[in-house]
Amino acid sequence: QGGMQYVGYAEMASAVSNAGGLGIITGLTQPTPEALRKEIKRCRTMTKKPFGVNLTILPALIPADYDAYAKVVAEEKVAMVEIAGGSPKKYIPLFKKAGVKVLHKSATLRHALKARKYGVDLIEIVGYEASIAGGQPGDEIGLWVALTKALKLIKDIPIVASGASATGRQLAAAIAMGAVGITMATRFLATKEAPIQMAIKKKLVEADERSTTIVLGTLSNATRVFKNKIADKIRDIEHDPEFDGDFRAIAPLASGKRTKKMWQQTGDWNGAMWSCGQSVGLIDDIPSCAELMERIVANAEKRLKACANVVIASKL
């Protein structure tokens, strides 16, 4: 499960872990490091299975005491930390000492290679079709190519595929290519346990693969979001000839407070900017996490077995 701002609470993480995945608490969803500690402890009352914490390092956009959040993650000894946005280098010794596995969410192959050099335990390679954040011009590379190249160049640590995944077919494809698994975020929004308004879940079912767009690309922070009125307004500002690149012109529309209110109170899918991958086009129901995971694993097994049957020794 990928980190999801104002969605990755203990309810979401525990449901995914109990279903056989690795649930993730989104660190900066909690207002303070000590609040994160309480959320980790709360999650432990809801599952006995391993779970992790996402720590997205974006100081320019999200001012936070990242050192203190990292310290809590290490002290609580969660199974894994998913670091996104910034470099994991500073925190790797802290996490290693605590026995916390470090996964780096790499938006590009160059980031993956740097993370490997710094000593992370796993790499999550992200395709452009995912609910990306932080992309720069030229980074518009889909998972099909990004994963293939990452597997070719990185052979000593496991690689997880991230990019619009929602089905067993995709899990089977990733494993067949050499990845150890997939990350899903958008798909988990449309589950019974996701702590968001039902109106948004229903909209995800109605949407198709053309229902996303890219914003903030002019600021070298390309982010894939659900295509709605707020996203359109942001794009209009970005493409205005008089726009000088000052994020303050966009900030009120991109505010996390708007998104939190949408998820938890209004359910107005048009009322905020919210991350969404192209996997939204593969969502057609709202199952429990357990039902979803069972289906994905069963379908992946079916496809992998079918693949084995097409491997025939040459008679020549």
Side-chain angles (χ1 to χ4, degrees), residues 15 127 268:
D268 178 10

Side-chain angles (χ1 to χ4, degrees), residues 131-132 211-215 223-228 231 273-277:
S131 52
I132 56 156
S211 298
T212 71
T213 189
I214 298 292
V215 297
T223 303
R224 186 174 297 280
V225 299
F226 194 83
K227 190 185 297 181
N228 61 14
M273 183 189 92
W274 50 287
S275 295
C276 183

Side-chain angles (χ1 to χ4, degrees), residues 243-316:
F243 178 58
D244 61 1
D246 189 342
F247 179 70
R248 287 176 295 182
I250 296 172
L253 296 171
S255 168
K257 292 180 179 180
R258 294 180 72 119
T259 309
K260 183 179 182 180
K261 184 178 181 180
M262 177 200 72
W263 290 137
Q264 300 178 5
Q265 298 177 33
T266 69
D268 178 10
W269 59 270
N270 249 324
M273 183 189 92
W274 50 287
S275 295
C276 183
Q278 290 179 342
S279 59
V280 67
L282 302 173
I283 296 173
D284 54 19
D285 64 352
I286 306 171
S288 68
C289 287
E291 291 167 341
L292 177 63
M293 294 287 286
E294 289 171 7
R295 179 200 308 167
I296 287 174
V297 170
N299 288 342
E301 289 179 350
K302 180 180 178 181
R303 295 315 311 160
L304 289 170
K305 290 175 181 177
C307 288
N309 291 333
V310 302
V311 179
I312 302 173
S314 174
K315 296 180 179 180
L316 297 178

Side-chain angles (χ1 to χ4, degrees), residues 5-6 9 25-39 62-66 68-69 260 264:
Q5 188 74 341
Y6 300 121
Y9 294 99
I25 293 173
T26 305
L28 295 185
T29 285
Q30 299 301 318
T32 66
E34 285 307 308
L36 173 59
R37 191 190 303 277
K38 290 180 181 178
E39 191 71 1
I62 311 175
D65 188 348
Y66 292 100
Y69 277 94
K260 183 179 182 180
Q264 300 178 5

Side-chain angles (χ1 to χ4, degrees), residues 191-192 194-204 263 267 286:
T191 58
K192 292 176 181 177
I196 64 174
Q197 292 294 313
M198 180 57 72
I200 303 171
K201 298 181 186 184
K202 290 180 177 179
K203 187 63 183 178
L204 288 165
W263 290 137
I286 306 171

